[in-house]
């Protein structure tokens, strides 16, 4: 795989599941640091992970990057700081509603985002069925922004056993 540099007109999107990309400072939700979850990383470990993520982004020539399973804006800012040209990137982040895992989603973009367009859809509801019971929830890991007339949207679905909606 040898990517070509993007022209100013090309839109190259990269989506990365960063798999519990957390820093070393609490809080960490109810998974990281638990008996069944990944351990709390040291400062050196999470900063090394930020450098590895930045290296991968730089190797793809992406100009919009969706990052899933990030803990907070701090870890995304650390990725940005390690990119080849950090000044050309903007972090788009709105804290989500996942209080169990503590995970969020973020966008790194090379286009200026319209601040008023950034949303995590606070009023959105999703209907699903679990154990033959209808449930409704507010999506916890979802983010959108408008930049240069383009709309970026990122949603990291949970691991519920979802069944199709009834007609």
């Amino acid at each position: 795989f040898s990517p070509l540099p993007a022209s100013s007109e090309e839109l190259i999107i990269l989506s990365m599941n960063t798999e519990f990309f957390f820093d070393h400072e609490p809080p960490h939700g109810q998974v990281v640091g638990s008996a069944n979850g990944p351990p709390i990383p040291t400062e050196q470990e999470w900063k090394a992970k930020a450098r590895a993520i930045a290296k991968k982004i730089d190797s793809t020539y992406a100009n919009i990057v969706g990052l899933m399973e990030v803990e907070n804006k701090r870890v995304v800012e650390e990725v940005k700081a390690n990119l080849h040209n950090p000044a050309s990137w903007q972090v788009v982040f709105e804290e989500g509603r996942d209080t169990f895992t503590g995970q969020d989603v973020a966008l790194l973009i090379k286009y200026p985002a319209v601040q008023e367009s950034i949303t995590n859809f606070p009023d959105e509801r999703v209907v699903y069925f679990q154990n033959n019971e209808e449930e409704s929830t507010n999506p916890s890991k979802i983010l959108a922004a408008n930049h240069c007339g383009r709309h970026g949207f990122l949603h990291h679905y949970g691991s519920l056993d979802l069944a199709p909606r009834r007609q």
Side-chain angles (χ1 to χ4, degrees):
F1 167 63
S2 179
L4 299 174
S7 75
S8 61
E9 299 299 317
E10 288 180 300
L11 183 62
I12 299 175
I13 301 170
L14 173 66
S15 176
M16 294 181 74
N17 185 330
T18 64
E19 296 188 25
F20 284 98
F21 182 30
F22 282 52
D23 64 21
H24 65 290
E25 295 182 3
H28 293 104
Q30 298 176 42
V31 177
V32 171
S34 72
N36 296 322
I40 297 170
T42 66
E43 183 174 12
Q44 294 77 18
E45 289 170 338
W46 76 264
K47 287 188 175 189
K49 188 169 184 174
R51 288 189 299 275
I53 292 168
K55 183 177 179 180
K56 184 59 160 176
I57 293 168
D58 282 337
S59 75
T60 65
Y61 299 101
N63 42 34
I64 297 177
V65 179
L67 298 173
M68 295 166 282
E69 296 191 19
V70 298
E71 179 184 20
N72 51 37
K73 188 174 183 178
R74 178 184 183 185
V75 297
V76 181
E77 290 285 358
E78 186 69 22
V79 171
K80 176 186 170 187
N82 283 280
L83 290 167
H84 174 67
N85 187 0
S88 67
W89 290 90
Q90 178 182 354
V91 172
V92 178
F93 181 87
E94 287 283 313
E95 188 170 335
R97 294 170 287 279
D98 185 341
T99 56
F100 182 72
T101 68
Q103 297 171 333
D104 280 310
V105 294
L107 293 167
L108 276 168
I109 59 175
K110 284 191 173 181
Y111 306 102
V114 178
Q115 289 301 312
E116 297 78 27
S117 75
I118 299 171
T119 182
N120 64 7
F121 300 94
D123 300 321
E124 186 70 23
R125 300 298 293 174
V126 172
V127 176
Y128 63 94
F129 295 89
Q130 187 169 17
N131 299 324
N132 294 322
E133 297 290 325
E134 184 174 323
E135 302 284 340
S136 173
T137 187
N138 187 297
S140 61
K141 294 176 255 198
I142 188 168
L143 181 66
N146 183 336
H147 39 86
C148 296
R150 296 178 169 120
H151 299 280
F153 178 81
L154 180 62
H155 185 191
H156 181 50
Y157 288 95
S159 58
L160 293 173
D161 181 19
L162 302 179
R165 285 187 181 190
R166 290 183 230 165
Q167 298 297 338

